[in-house]
Amino acid sequence: MTIILTYQTLPSHIPALVHANCDDSYTIIVNNNLSDASKKDAIRHEVCHIMGNDFFKEDIDSIETSCHQHSVDCEVGEDLDFYIK
């Protein structure tokens, strides 16, 4: 699985967001105003959304609650290819 990381200025209340691309890759946009540790946490959280296939679920509150509970345990495995843009 391919994940493209890009760092951009986002509103302060948005640490990161993820977009599913038409070529089956994903783009994670990370708020470049975060500390390095917070950037890593934000990336792990977005990877949790990818691994949970959250893009087609409707209940946003339960998606976020579940992802926040599991993102600490979310493993960034060797099967993920990260590219920094």
Side-chain angles (χ1 to χ4, degrees), residues 6-12 14-15 17 29-34:
T6 182
Y7 297 86
Q8 300 178 19
T9 300
L10 298 173
S12 61
I14 301 175
L17 54 92
I29 301 170
V30 183
N31 191 331
N32 63 2
N33 293 318
L34 297 175

Side-chain angles (χ1 to χ4, degrees), residues 19-36:
H19 178 268
N21 303 318
C22 60
D23 65 354
D24 293 329
S25 68
Y26 299 89
T27 299
I28 297 176
I29 301 170
V30 183
N31 191 331
N32 63 2
N33 293 318
L34 297 175
S35 68
D36 288 343

Side-chain angles (χ1 to χ4, degrees), residues 54-71:
D54 290 342
F55 301 96
F56 304 103
K57 297 177 182 174
E58 294 183 21
D59 186 1
I60 294 172
D61 288 334
S62 71
I63 291 169
E64 285 301 320
T65 299
S66 176
C67 196
H68 282 286
Q69 291 172 346
H70 296 101
S71 62

Side-chain angles (χ1 to χ4, degrees), residues 1-5 28 43 47 50 76-77 80-84:
M1 175 183 323
T2 300
I3 298 174
I4 300 160
L5 291 176
I28 297 176
I43 293 167
V47 168
I50 294 168
V76 178
L80 301 177
D81 293 320
F82 286 92
Y83 296 91
I84 299 173

